[in-house]
Amino acid sequence: MMNNKEIDEFLQLLQKYELSIAALYESFASALPQFQDAWMAFVKEERIHAKWIGQLQAHLKNENVSFDQKTYTLQATKIAINYLEKLVEQAKKDKPDLLQALNIAIDIEKSLLESAFLKVFKLDGPKARQIQTRLREATKIHMNRLVDWRADIQNA
């Protein structure tokens, strides 16, 4: 069981993780100016996801939360953030093409869904559960949009 301080730290890391994804997509927008608007739409949405995690934090103070620590740990989250930061640096240096950028983005959204990032909390409160569900759904939508985009360029 995690204590409140650890839950707060974990949520701050999750927020940072979402913002790191936004930073990566922003670097794709810079590297691929002809697709800047599309990438910036994803950036905006990732920042909204980070806000939702902030709201989750507020709700968790007043609700019963159990935390499945086996599923996901603080350390794994930190490693994921470091990985994203490296990808941002790489994207700035190497300017990926659209297909590379889409493949990276799809892998990230997929690992976010498959990992337990969005499943770690056993939430009692309806508001917190609703935010958790919204995050999962939004991530699925992201992944589907990216997969469709990749299919469009591969079939072009």
Side-chain angles (χ1 to χ4, degrees), residues 49-117:
H49 300 173
K51 271 197 190 107
W52 290 348
I53 293 168
Q55 291 168 357
L56 197 54
Q57 206 161 8
H59 292 303
L60 295 185
K61 291 191 184 355
N62 317 316
E63 292 182 8
N64 249 349
V65 181
S66 60
F67 188 91
D68 187 356
Q69 217 179 343
K70 291 179 298 296
T71 334
Y72 228 81
T73 62
L74 296 170
Q75 191 54 40
T77 312
K78 289 175 185 166
I79 290 167
I81 291 167
N82 288 340
Y83 173 68
L84 284 168
E85 287 169 352
K86 283 189 182 86
L87 286 175
V88 169
E89 289 311 304
Q90 204 178 332
K92 286 178 182 169
K93 268 199 330 255
D94 302 338
K95 301 262 189 271
D97 64 32
L98 183 57
L99 192 58
Q100 289 169 320
L102 286 168
N103 284 332
I104 291 167
I106 289 165
D107 285 347
I108 287 165
E109 299 288 342
K110 197 179 191 171
S111 72
L112 194 56
L113 281 172
E114 286 170 2
S115 74
F117 269 143

Side-chain angles (χ1 to χ4, degrees), residues 72 82 84 97 109 114 122-123 130 133-134 149 155:
Y72 228 81
N82 288 340
L84 284 168
D97 64 32
E109 299 288 342
E114 286 170 2
K122 307 278 180 282
L123 301 170
Q130 188 183 11
T133 302
R134 263 181 27 211
W149 188 5
N155 298 331

